[in-house]
Amino acid sequence: MQQRVIISQDIEHDLAQAIAETEHDRVFVLTDDITQECCLPKVASLFAKYNATTITIRHDDTNKTLATLADVWTALQRGGATRHSLLVNLGGGMVTDLGGFAAATFKRGINFINIPTTLLAMVDAAVGGKTGINFGGLKNEVGAFANARYVIVNTCFLDTLDTVNLCSGYAEMLKHSLISNAQMWTEHVNFDILQPDLAELQRMVAASIAVKEHIVADDPHEHGIRKALNFGHTIGHALEEFSMQQPGGAVFSARLLPLARARTAPKNTLLHGYAVAFGLIGELYISARKAGFPTARLHQTARFIRENYGAMAFTCDDYPTLLNLMRHDKKNTSDTINFTLLHDIGDIRINQTATDEEIREALDFIREGY
């Protein structure tokens, strides 16, 4: 089943139409404790018309677990959900990932609609049919491909976000431009994400989603070109998982202090988009070294990330841990660490490898060289 993405100007109208066109005997709404407070009121009157049952889970990626998934299954079961029920996932990527997996597996699959409320979820997690949970200390280790019937994207929810979470989502947009075209990349590295024009951002979000939709349509199950969407993520996921293992915020340098104040992440967790931003720097470095990516564009991208995302505190002593985390990445074959690299913007090289020494050089560049 192919999902339909709606770039919405009227959230209540578009959601009502999506629900009307999707089979449902009962409607359930999945939120986390923050989106329940900040985002649900924007559509609460519509859900009241359907007598929808709200299921609320704790926010942040550390709760994207089997235990939380079981809580959602239990709530659906107790609420009388059947194979003909509908789950609406209202929240960020953690909610759409976990909610999509819950819907894909409950009663062997029920319909679901994603309403992403963060920039990261709008351009990444809610679109493309990937669902899942973290397991055994690894991100998205267990999951399934399952398309939402509708993904409704409306930037009205972005006024609930702090700057840190806007930056987190913007990193995925920057990735989309790098794997797409130079015109989009130029626009992205010159946009003021710290004081964004939300109307302009909505146009950019629509273009970014179109990049992902085109790639996913060509390769829905990641056998080929969809691997381009992993650019920046081999190193990025390792940095993110590394941050989850650190005590009491030790992972953050002084320039990342705003991150420690982000209300949607505990102090010791690197937001996904920040990890991807640093991963982009590292994988662009490997691309320049092995695939001929232009060094001027490498440094311009790295400079934009430095100015907007700060830096991450890790040392050479952490490299063995980071390399080990990369070896557990789902994209790998045996112990070979797999990368997507770029020869230039939009010129993609999938199924590439790098030696441990080349990866260490990339980590040096993230820490010191940009």
Side-chain angles (χ1 to χ4, degrees), residues 10 17 19 31 41 54 62 82-83 85 120 144 146 184 186 190 264 287 289 305 308 311 324 353 360 365:
D10 184 335
Q17 184 172 342
I19 293 175
T31 69
T54 301
T62 59
T82 73
R83 293 187 68 181
S85 296
L120 180 62
M184 182 183 288
T186 299
N190 287 288
T264 56
S287 294
R289 196 182 189 287
I305 292 170
N308 291 282
N324 187 53
T353 61
R360 289 189 187 96
F365 188 70

Side-chain angles (χ1 to χ4, degrees), residues 100-117:
F101 191 37
T105 49
F106 186 78
K107 304 285 188 183
R108 294 197 178 96
I110 63 174
N111 285 323
F112 66 101
I113 292 171
N114 285 338
I115 307 178
T117 60

Side-chain angles (χ1 to χ4, degrees), residues 272-351:
H272 174 74
Y274 278 69
V276 168
F278 302 137
L280 289 174
I281 293 171
E283 294 181 30
L284 282 174
Y285 175 87
I286 297 173
S287 294
R289 196 182 189 287
K290 294 182 67 72
F293 187 84
T295 57
R297 287 176 166 173
L298 161 64
H299 286 286
Q300 187 173 351
T301 307
R303 183 165 56 250
F304 175 86
I305 292 170
R306 178 190 63 199
E307 291 171 353
N308 291 282
Y309 295 80
M312 181 178 174
F314 60 96
T315 72
C316 300
D317 292 339
D318 300 314
Y319 289 5
T321 299
L322 290 167
L323 284 163
N324 187 53
L325 287 169
M326 289 179 215
R327 288 192 178 93
H328 283 89
D329 193 284
K330 297 183 296 300
K331 300 181 291 297
N332 294 336
T333 302
S334 186
D335 287 333
T336 301
I337 299 174
N338 192 286
F339 289 92
T340 291
L341 300 178
L342 301 180
H343 173 66
D344 203 341
I345 292 172
D347 192 344
I348 300 160
R349 304 286 193 269
I350 63 171
N351 298 327

Side-chain angles (χ1 to χ4, degrees), residues 46-96:
L46 177 63
F47 284 128
K49 295 177 183 178
Y50 292 96
N51 196 28
T53 299
T54 301
I55 304 169
T56 302
I57 59 180
R58 289 180 295 173
H59 71 273
D60 103 54
D61 209 66
T62 59
N63 292 305
K64 198 169 78 173
T65 63
L66 185 58
T68 304
L69 178 66
D71 288 342
V72 175
W73 285 332
T74 300
L76 289 169
Q77 191 174 64
R78 289 177 177 171
T82 73
R83 293 187 68 181
H84 307 285
S85 296
L86 170 65
L87 179 63
V88 180
N89 299 314
L90 178 71
M94 179 268 202
V95 170
T96 60

Side-chain angles (χ1 to χ4, degrees), residues 243-265:
S243 78
M244 293 178 184
Q245 300 172 5
Q246 304 310 301
V251 74
F252 301 118
S253 74
R255 285 185 291 167
L256 271 179
L257 284 178
L259 181 58
R261 294 195 293 269
R263 67 186 180 190
T264 56

Side-chain angles (χ1 to χ4, degrees), residues 235 281-282 285-286 289-290 319 323 355-369:
I235 293 176
I281 293 171
Y285 175 87
I286 297 173
R289 196 182 189 287
K290 294 182 67 72
Y319 289 5
L323 284 163
T355 66
D356 285 5
E357 183 57 35
E358 289 165 340
I359 297 169
R360 289 189 187 96
E361 289 179 13
L363 293 172
D364 285 340
F365 188 70
I366 293 170
R367 289 174 50 233
E368 303 168 356

